Amino acid sequence: MPLCNMRDLLCDAKKGNYAVGSFSVANLECVIGVVAAAEEARAPIILQCAEIRLRYTPLSTLGPLMLAAAKAASVPVAVHLDHGATISCVEEALRLGFTSVMIDGSHLPLKENLAEVRQVVAMAKATGACVEAEVGRVGRGEDGSDSPTVAASIDDCLRMDETGLDALAVGIGNAHGLYAATPVLRYDILEQLSGKLRAHLVLHGGTGLTDEQFRKLISLGMRKINIATDIFRAAAMARRTEDIFANITNSSAAVKAVTQKYIALFGSAGKAE
């Protein structure tokens, strides 16, 4: 199965009324576990890495690993740069062959956020890569740093949609990392956006939401759901021994199990056929 464009996966998800899981990876074990889960479930998936985490595993190393795994997979796999913070990192991801990139200017005034997105949309045309951006603010940074949760404005979402991007992450009370309590999500924002956007809706901060919340979000048009914290916790907390190869196997198996749970919940199992 060839490396896939995220745009195609999200279009299929819209037609089938399900969501595609976008799973963050940090090393070989994460990649092996996520892809193995997708192949067993016959599900399309997205492999992603966030720029802020590349201080631990450089994109020049992790990126080719993700791409190689996607190209060798027996199910559709897109490779995505999550929360691109700099144009230079987006450029590197596109050069490597990523089929999707996110430029996150949600911390900027809307005018500047729009300008960055337009720049990336123009850059991505050369390879046909999918482009994602964010409106409002998803609480907490990818690295756990403090960041306020800001609900997305309907008007701002509509203006962002005009840039020609493919996927839009909207702030609806969601946050990265672990929730102290089950969050109260702004479903009304999604209801107001229904049928008004060309771009597909994206949920960040999926770890910790209830099954009922996921089902409601998918029914309201969420087509890409990001899972990072649960993947990283599974990899880190897998049984450790003095045998490094046993550790790789245990960590990959733990990631696979977590990924399988979300694939089933998102309704994407069997959609690769």
Side-chain angles (χ1 to χ4, degrees), residues 19-254:
V20 180
S22 193
F23 301 102
S24 292
V25 296
N27 57 18
L28 175 66
E29 292 90 328
C30 290
V31 172
I32 290 173
V34 169
V35 172
E39 290 185 319
E40 188 169 303
R42 308 308 301 163
I45 57 160
I46 301 159
L47 289 176
Q48 67 178 22
C49 59
E51 179 173 352
I52 198 166
R53 300 188 187 280
L54 297 176
R55 68 185 74 170
Y56 305 104
T57 313
L59 189 60
S60 59
T61 301
L62 182 60
L65 170 63
M66 295 165 67
L67 289 161
K71 292 172 183 176
S74 63
V75 293
V77 180
V79 176
H80 174 68
L81 175 68
D82 188 34
H83 288 287
T86 61
I87 296 295
S88 61
C89 187
V90 170
E91 288 176 327
E92 183 180 3
L94 291 172
R95 283 197 304 271
L96 286 170
F98 277 44
T99 58
S100 179
V101 291
M102 179 187 185
I103 183 68
D104 183 3
S106 60
H107 59 289
L108 300 171
L110 181 65
K111 184 177 180 180
E112 295 177 34
N113 190 1
L114 290 167
E116 278 200 339
V117 174
R118 291 192 191 97
Q119 182 180 355
V120 171
V121 167
M123 289 166 48
K125 284 183 178 178
T127 63
C130 184
V131 176
E132 179 181 332
E134 184 175 316
V135 170
R137 289 296 299 277
V138 176
R140 284 191 301 275
E142 273 282 316
D143 60 348
S145 58
D146 288 337
S147 176
T149 299
V150 179
S153 155
I154 302 301
D155 288 343
D156 289 355
C157 290
L158 295 175
R159 291 183 64 185
M160 185 61 76
D161 195 50
E162 294 173 353
T163 64
L165 85 173
D166 302 280
L168 183 62
V170 290
I172 55 170
N174 46 322
H176 297 111
L178 295 175
Y179 295 100
T182 302
V184 177
L185 301 178
R186 292 283 306 276
Y187 298 122
D188 60 299
I189 294 174
L190 304 182
E191 290 166 348
Q192 291 178 66
L193 288 173
S194 179
K196 295 179 181 177
L197 300 180
R198 187 191 60 82
H200 301 284
L201 291 173
V202 176
L203 179 80
H204 288 238
T207 297
L209 298 186
T210 67
D211 292 2
E212 181 181 352
Q213 285 177 314
F214 280 124
R215 294 189 186 100
K216 177 72 172 179
L217 290 165
I218 293 169
S219 75
L220 292 173
M222 282 293 177
R223 298 297 164 230
K224 172 177 179 274
I225 298 179
N226 290 13
I227 301 294
T229 302
D230 260 356
I231 296 293
F232 297 147
R233 291 176 73 206
M237 298 174 68
R239 186 171 65 88
R240 291 289 185 265
T241 72
E242 294 181 357
D243 182 343
I244 188 171
F245 300 105
N247 293 343
I248 291 173
T249 299
N250 294 341
S251 187
S252 299

